Amino acid sequence: MEPDLRAVTWLVFLDRNWGRDGLHTFFFLSGGDFAPQVLESLKHARLEREAAIFEHAMALFGSRFPVDETARQAFFAWSRPGRRSDSGGTIPNELNAFDHALMDDAHAFGSQEQLAERVGAYVESIPSLAAWANQAREKLTEEQRLNWLLSQLTVERDIRSETATWPRRYRQLLLIDMFNEELLNGGLHQFFFNSSGDYAPEVVAALRDFGLARHADAVQRSIDMFGQPYPLDRQMRFTHFKEWSDWDVKLNAPTEEIRDGEIEDTMLAIVKREGLLPR
């Protein structure tokens, strides 16, 4: 690739592998295998501040940065077995000193939106890149335009408070897309095990409003397994998980029933009908 376009490609790779906690998630998962290429691209794009922070984060792993995901994960508290709860479940470990240092760099680096703005400014500053972007934009499919829209619907921590003033449709799209990503990746079990499960009641309401009653009913059946009132806090839900017991199997059972592509088709149909699809 031409060097300017190669730099943009790696910076988009960083964006695509961002995760919930920014650089902390990036280095924990397989995207971190390509940290040297990302660093080179940050420098090439003259993002000096971001490059310095990124380089400092890499240095936390030692003088020789491990480009193997397994080797990096040994540094993270999450890589070790969590504590056993009184009910037999597993409680994730608290962050260790390394995690906190990497989290500090992640916060200093900035948000995903700030990175996108800097990369966008870089593209616009290079005539050949600006022309390439304009041509590429015209070729985007409806599905790609929907995915871009969904990528813009992000919050830092709490969906309830941070989307309180959002238009209803955007809030619903965020909830349903969050749910669908968990569903496709690890099923209903993963959705409830992760912090996304904190918003299960809102997901059910959004699914019903989108006309996805069958999907909403399936999620509601799983919600009911936790008893009343439903535990909105992830730590409270951990007491129900039993190292893939019969209960876990039953919780996850409706996954294949609703992992059918209908959610994506419905989201696209609604944004097209209501004029929300980016041009």
Side-chain angles (χ1 to χ4, degrees):
M1 276 188 180
E2 185 273 328
D4 290 332
L5 184 56
R6 182 171 62 247
V8 171
T9 301
W10 281 114
L11 295 177
V12 170
F13 176 83
L14 172 61
D15 176 80
R16 294 287 178 84
N17 289 271
W18 190 260
R20 187 188 67 181
D21 294 312
L23 291 189
H24 187 274
T25 305
F26 175 79
F27 284 109
F28 181 73
L29 299 179
S30 60
D33 293 359
F34 302 95
Q37 290 92 327
V38 172
L39 176 60
E40 178 185 354
S41 298
L42 287 167
K43 293 179 177 179
H44 181 90
R46 300 185 296 280
L47 303 183
E48 290 88 358
R49 190 189 72 85
E50 288 82 358
I53 297 170
F54 194 91
E55 192 164 23
H56 182 270
M58 290 177 64
L60 294 175
F61 291 90
S63 58
R64 186 180 179 85
F65 177 78
V67 294
D68 177 74
E69 176 184 4
T70 303
R72 286 194 311 280
Q73 287 184 350
F75 289 81
F76 295 80
W78 295 344
S79 66
R80 294 184 293 280
R83 295 181 290 110
R84 303 287 294 184
S85 67
D86 294 339
S87 61
T90 302
I91 301 174
N93 293 313
E94 295 292 331
L95 299 182
N96 59 29
F98 170 85
D99 287 302
H100 284 294
L102 186 53
M103 280 289 194
D104 287 344
D105 280 342
H107 294 150
F109 190 86
S111 69
Q112 191 173 17
E113 292 75 19
Q114 290 170 326
L115 174 64
E117 290 177 3
R118 295 294 307 277
V119 174
Y122 166 64
V123 170
E124 292 299 324
S125 72
I126 308 294
S128 61
L129 285 181
W132 165 81
N134 288 331
Q135 292 173 0
R137 188 178 298 116
E138 295 175 359
K139 300 177 182 178
L140 292 175
T141 65
E142 290 181 339
E143 289 76 13
Q144 289 173 320
R145 294 175 190 274
L146 172 62
N147 289 336
W148 183 86
L149 171 62
L150 295 173
S151 74
Q152 304 307 297
L153 303 177
T154 61
V155 297
E156 291 295 325
R157 291 292 174 186
D158 182 61
I159 292 178
R160 292 187 184 94
S161 61
E162 294 180 46
T163 66
T165 60
W166 285 23
R168 179 174 59 94
R169 277 295 189 231
Y170 290 126
R171 183 170 62 253
Q172 292 174 327
L173 284 167
L174 170 63
L175 287 164
I176 292 177
D177 182 53
M178 172 195 68
F179 166 72
N180 194 45
E181 287 189 0
E182 297 279 28
L183 184 71
L184 295 175
N185 184 260
L188 281 170
H189 189 276
Q190 178 174 298
F191 169 69
F192 285 102
F193 186 84
N194 289 340
S195 58
S196 53
D198 297 356
Y199 306 98
E202 289 94 334
V203 168
V204 169
L207 288 169
R208 292 199 189 285
D209 203 50
F210 270 47
L212 295 165
R214 180 168 56 85
H215 299 71
D217 290 344
V219 179
Q220 186 62 55
R221 290 198 301 273
S222 294
I223 287 176
D224 293 341
M225 291 180 60
F226 288 90
Q228 295 296 329
Y230 172 73
L232 297 175
D233 182 79
R234 183 188 184 202
Q235 295 294 333
M236 296 174 63
R237 290 196 303 280
F238 281 151
T239 62
H240 294 267
F241 295 96
K242 313 290 184 184
E243 297 292 340
W244 208 253
S245 66
D246 290 342
W247 186 92
D248 296 85
V249 172
K250 184 178 179 181
L251 179 74
N252 197 55
T255 293
E256 294 309 316
E257 173 189 341
I258 60 176
R259 192 157 57 184
D260 55 6
E262 191 174 348
I263 292 176
E264 297 95 321
D265 293 343
T266 300
M267 285 195 294
L268 179 57
I270 287 177
V271 298
K272 287 175 61 178
R273 186 180 70 219
E274 300 187 7
L276 302 178
L277 194 66
R279 297 180 182 276

